[in-house]
Amino acid sequence: MSFTPFDPLSFKNTKVNDAALGALKREIENILSSYVGWYDPFCELIQNALDAVEARAEYEKSAGTEELYRPQIEIRIDLDDNALTVTDNGIGLDKEKFEQFLAPNFSFKTGNTRGHKGVGATYVAYGFNYIRVSTKVPGFEASGRILNAKNWLKSHTTGTNPKVEPDESPRVDGAFDKNDRGVAVTVRFDETTHPKRLDWVGAQR
Ligand SMILES: Nc1ncnc2c1ncn2[C@@H]1O[C@H](COP(=O)(O)OP(=O)(O)OP(=O)(O)O)[C@@H](O)[C@H]1O
Ligand SMILES: [Mg+2]
């Protein structure tokens, strides 16, 4: 399912003026500065996946179909592509959430979840220069990517905000293709990100 490219920050009134955009960029930079660890992208994506499968388990229970649901999370580390993909068969993102969840302080979680601040996804989207998010829920399926978000954040020019553009790759990820519902997020590292290289810890191909 394709869609018109959109700015995930548009819900934060960035169009008002340059000062509002500057304030928003600082809000995102403050979020990024709270993430200093090598494993932070892993933690944030895996926590979101765990919350998503638990939310789906609750949902299936309320529908009386919990017997049929087996929660699954796949973590794929691609040393050649220098990328991390976390795929879950959880509750998924509907269209509205898909368009909003990358914005700072947007959280849709209530109750006993790991995440609650609404900043983890912002960090993964704007702390790196490649993120792809794919989602599948009843009635909505989409795959989009943002390029160069970190470079945009660090640049002091007032260029247009990075957009989520449809990602046309025919196959997102083997696990995502098999799942009936859920989310897959890929983040790719580069010389300007932390971590820079996934093979640094000595992992071998
Ligand atoms: N894998 C996923 N499946 C379904 N929904 C997701 C997934 N990842 C993120 N979301 C939705 O996007 C929202 C924003 O995610 P984000 O990680 O920024 O915030 P959070 O998990 O609520 O809080 P925290 O900042 O503590 O991680 C979440 O509240 C959740 O509703
Ligand atoms: Mg989170």
Side-chain angles (χ1 to χ4, degrees):
M1 196 184 292
S2 197
F3 56 87
T4 313
F6 64 89
D7 170 11
L9 303 176
S10 58
F11 301 95
K12 303 276 291 188
N13 290 331
T14 55
K15 300 285 183 311
V16 181
N17 56 31
D18 287 351
L21 179 59
L24 181 63
K25 277 188 158 185
R26 271 191 294 281
E27 188 181 348
I28 300 174
E29 276 175 333
N30 289 342
I31 291 168
L32 298 198
S33 66
S34 70
Y35 289 98
V36 292
W38 205 91
Y39 291 103
D40 284 342
F42 293 73
C43 298
E44 290 307 319
L45 293 180
I46 294 167
Q47 281 176 10
N48 280 347
L50 286 165
D51 283 340
V53 295
E54 284 176 7
R56 180 161 179 199
E58 281 298 313
Y59 167 81
E60 298 291 347
K61 212 165 150 189
S62 66
T65 46
E66 73 263 38
E67 298 297 313
L68 302 172
Y69 178 54
R70 279 191 56 229
Q72 279 182 332
I73 295 175
E74 188 199 73
I75 300 157
R76 192 154 50 85
I77 293 165
D78 186 332
L79 294 180
D80 293 323
D81 199 24
N82 203 26
L84 162 71
T85 301
V86 177
T87 307
D88 65 70
N89 68 343
I91 197 75
L93 292 156
D94 61 18
K95 184 169 189 296
E96 193 178 45
K97 292 194 174 101
F98 180 67
E99 290 175 356
Q100 295 185 346
F101 85 112
L102 300 176
N105 302 308
F106 272 62
S107 175
F108 308 104
K109 294 177 185 171
T110 51
N112 196 11
T113 51
R114 288 165 192 81
H116 55 90
K117 296 192 292 288
V119 298
T122 307
Y123 153 68
V124 177
Y126 292 91
F128 303 90
N129 285 308
Y130 177 97
I131 183 181
R132 180 180 59 198
V133 181
S134 308
T135 178
K136 220 186 254 182
V137 295
F140 181 69
E141 195 173 323
S143 184
R145 60 179 190 176
I146 309 184
L147 302 179
N148 295 320
K150 179 170 187 188
N151 292 344
W152 164 81
L153 190 69
K154 297 288 165 201
S155 75
H156 295 288
T157 55
T158 50
T160 53
N161 299 1
K163 289 202 166 46
V164 180
E165 300 162 347
D167 180 81
E168 307 294 358
S169 12
R171 297 199 50 189
V172 168
D173 171 81
F176 180 77
D177 287 348
K178 275 189 260 127
N179 290 341
D180 59 335
R181 177 171 188 152
V183 164
V185 179
T186 298
V187 54
R188 192 181 289 146
F189 307 96
D190 64 46
E191 283 307 307
T192 71
T193 63
H194 184 61
K196 290 183 175 49
R197 294 206 52 87
L198 286 176
D199 55 11
W200 183 80
V201 280
Q204 313 236 316
R205 285 172 180 81

